[in-house]
Amino acid sequence: MRRSALGLALLALGAAGAGWAAYEKLDSNITADNDAASELARYEKERPTALVRGAQNVLLIGSDSRSGDGNGRYGHDAGAGRSDTVILLHLAADRRSATAVSLPRDLMVDVPGCRRADGSRSAPVFTLFNYAFASGGSACTIRTVEKLTNIRIDHHVVVDFRGFQEMVDAVDGVQVCLKEPIDDKDARVRLPAGRVTLDGEQALGYVRARKSLGDGSDTDRMERQQRFLGALLGKVRSDGVLLNPAKLYPVLDAATSSLTTDPGLASLRGLYDLVRGLRTLPPERVQFLTVPRTSYPSDPNRDQLVQPAAGKLFTRLRADRPVEVVKRLPDDSAAKSSATASASPGYGDGGESRGDGMSSEKSPPAPEPTPTFRGNTAAQDACG
């Protein structure tokens, strides 16, 4: 029998007498993004339609706003902040796979006119992707993603710096593998090489660091974020968090208190209904990749989509069809994140010759091979 959200909260608390109080606390932790819901309803007619019943597309937004408790130590901003990280999470209708696609903040996109926090409206503009969140918050980011991908966004989740740290600390840290030491003053992190268990503040610095790690690109940073999320998922599963009330409650408390979501997810029941089918999902079926991109011609510090690979990815996710990821593609020099997919073979109108002067019947078209993208899965060892 399917467990209810109330049952999950009771399990997390592990004390029947205080179960309802725990449920109420966790349930009230989540902030509903009602303004975004109203703005999206205003543009309902222009939004994409959902194609596959049961499939879900969730936009995960990491905000770099410094306005929340404890966020000011990472600098100051003049407004609501920017989308430091945006991930399109596709949950298959059968809940047998999940695909997380990172969207670069420096990607050049068409941002529609959006409602600002002061009630005024911005003009449509072709600019950096993270301008959407700075200009019009989550609703503007969702409309921009939908325009870019033609994928209907069913839900969205916004988390800030403090929330990220608390979630990592709630699972007693996450282990990563560092090929070389890190000393990044901007990201406020200093770590030795090798296997290291990061606490919340160290983890935040690790996923935010850019110029001091790898090739200094945002693509490299996104791949590091993906590996960390895979390691976090592995920690939650392997450490028995989901089955240990003493460990589960702090994780739920940290997670719910750091979230701003659409009204449909702004409750324990809403969150549980979304993820209940993912508890037994194999780690190798949780995939991470960055949307196929390359440098923008007029500015190497900006990105643009690689076509037709990006279009193929979006089309398959919208239709709830599978994609596959590998660490390295046959030609990784063409673009840091691209796709390979051979076209179905063509067939002549007259069929193939049998060699006896007679023509065989036309063969049916071969099924299109599953496209492969550079990425990783939650099952891959960060040190592998």
Side-chain angles (χ1 to χ4, degrees), residues 74 84 164 174-182 184 186-192 194 196-214 220-229 231 382-383:
Y74 299 103
D84 195 59
F164 177 84
V174 175
Q175 187 181 88
V176 298
C177 186
L178 305 179
K179 295 181 179 180
E180 57 187 28
I182 299 175
D184 192 309
D186 291 337
R188 300 171 63 91
V189 61
R190 186 175 183 178
L191 300 167
V196 183
T197 298
L198 307 181
D199 62 23
E201 185 165 0
Q202 291 171 326
L204 179 62
Y206 173 71
V207 299
R208 291 187 66 230
R210 181 173 179 176
K211 296 181 179 179
S212 63
L213 287 177
D220 186 79
R221 187 178 70 111
M222 286 185 292
E223 291 177 353
R224 194 180 332 117
Q225 292 171 351
Q226 294 162 8
R227 291 192 297 272
F228 182 85
L229 290 176
C383 291

Side-chain angles (χ1 to χ4, degrees), residues 117-174:
D118 63 5
S120 63
R121 290 197 169 269
S122 62
V125 62
F126 181 69
T127 187
L128 298 178
F129 174 54
N130 69 353
Y131 171 81
F133 190 81
S135 176
S138 54
C140 192
T141 302
I142 290 169
R143 291 177 59 213
T144 300
V145 171
E146 291 184 338
K147 185 178 182 66
L148 179 72
T149 66
N150 198 32
I151 294 173
R152 172 84 177 203
I153 302 301
D154 302 293
H155 299 288
H156 69 276
V157 176
V158 182
V159 61
D160 62 15
F161 289 162
R162 179 182 61 85
F164 177 84
Q165 291 182 72
E166 291 180 351
M167 290 174 66
V168 174
D169 285 333
V171 298
D172 296 325
V174 175

Side-chain angles (χ1 to χ4, degrees), residues 10-284:
L10 289 171
L11 174 64
L13 180 66
W20 182 252
Y23 179 86
E24 286 286 287
K25 181 180 186 301
L26 295 173
D27 199 56
S28 63
N29 277 348
I30 309 169
T31 301
D33 197 350
N34 294 310
D35 289 343
S38 298
E39 180 71 359
L40 291 172
R42 176 187 177 100
Y43 293 95
E44 179 59 36
K45 291 184 178 180
E46 73 176 33
R47 300 183 65 192
T49 57
L51 293 185
V52 180
R53 183 181 179 85
Q56 296 281 293
N57 296 294
V58 185
L59 200 65
L60 309 177
I61 303 173
S63 169
D64 70 353
S65 173
R66 276 71 165 179
S67 59
D69 293 341
N71 290 330
R73 63 166 60 181
Y74 299 103
H76 302 280
D77 60 31
R82 295 163 296 182
S83 52
D84 195 59
T85 300
V86 175
I87 295 175
L88 173 59
L89 175 64
H90 174 76
L91 305 177
D94 61 10
R95 295 301 189 268
R96 293 182 179 178
S97 67
T99 303
V101 181
S102 296
L103 300 173
R105 62 184 183 181
D106 293 336
L107 187 68
M108 297 298 292
V109 298
D110 288 307
V111 178
C114 296
R115 184 182 184 276
R116 299 188 181 99
D118 63 5
S120 63
R121 290 197 169 269
S122 62
V125 62
F126 181 69
T127 187
L128 298 178
F129 174 54
N130 69 353
Y131 171 81
F133 190 81
S135 176
S138 54
C140 192
T141 302
I142 290 169
R143 291 177 59 213
T144 300
V145 171
E146 291 184 338
K147 185 178 182 66
L148 179 72
T149 66
N150 198 32
I151 294 173
R152 172 84 177 203
I153 302 301
D154 302 293
H155 299 288
H156 69 276
V157 176
V158 182
V159 61
D160 62 15
F161 289 162
R162 179 182 61 85
F164 177 84
Q165 291 182 72
E166 291 180 351
M167 290 174 66
V168 174
D169 285 333
V171 298
D172 296 325
V174 175
Q175 187 181 88
V176 298
C177 186
L178 305 179
K179 295 181 179 180
E180 57 187 28
I182 299 175
D183 188 0
D184 192 309
K185 294 182 180 179
D186 291 337
R188 300 171 63 91
V189 61
R190 186 175 183 178
L191 300 167
R195 289 187 181 270
V196 183
T197 298
L198 307 181
D199 62 23
E201 185 165 0
Q202 291 171 326
L204 179 62
Y206 173 71
V207 299
R208 291 187 66 230
R210 181 173 179 176
K211 296 181 179 179
S212 63
L213 287 177
D215 60 8
S217 69
D218 199 38
T219 296
D220 186 79
R221 187 178 70 111
M222 286 185 292
E223 291 177 353
R224 194 180 332 117
Q225 292 171 351
Q226 294 162 8
R227 291 192 297 272
F228 182 85
L229 290 176
L232 174 60
L233 177 62
K235 177 65 178 290
V236 170
R237 293 172 63 98
S238 65
D239 210 27
V241 171
L242 297 179
L243 299 177
N244 186 326
K247 293 181 179 180
L248 180 57
Y249 183 82
V251 174
L252 288 177
D253 190 30
T256 54
S257 63
S258 67
L259 301 182
T260 298
T261 76
D262 60 277
L265 289 186
S267 67
L268 277 181
R269 183 177 184 84
L271 287 172
Y272 182 69
D273 285 346
L274 178 69
V275 304
R276 68 178 182 271
L278 302 180
R279 290 173 298 174
T280 58
L281 184 64
E284 62 269 16

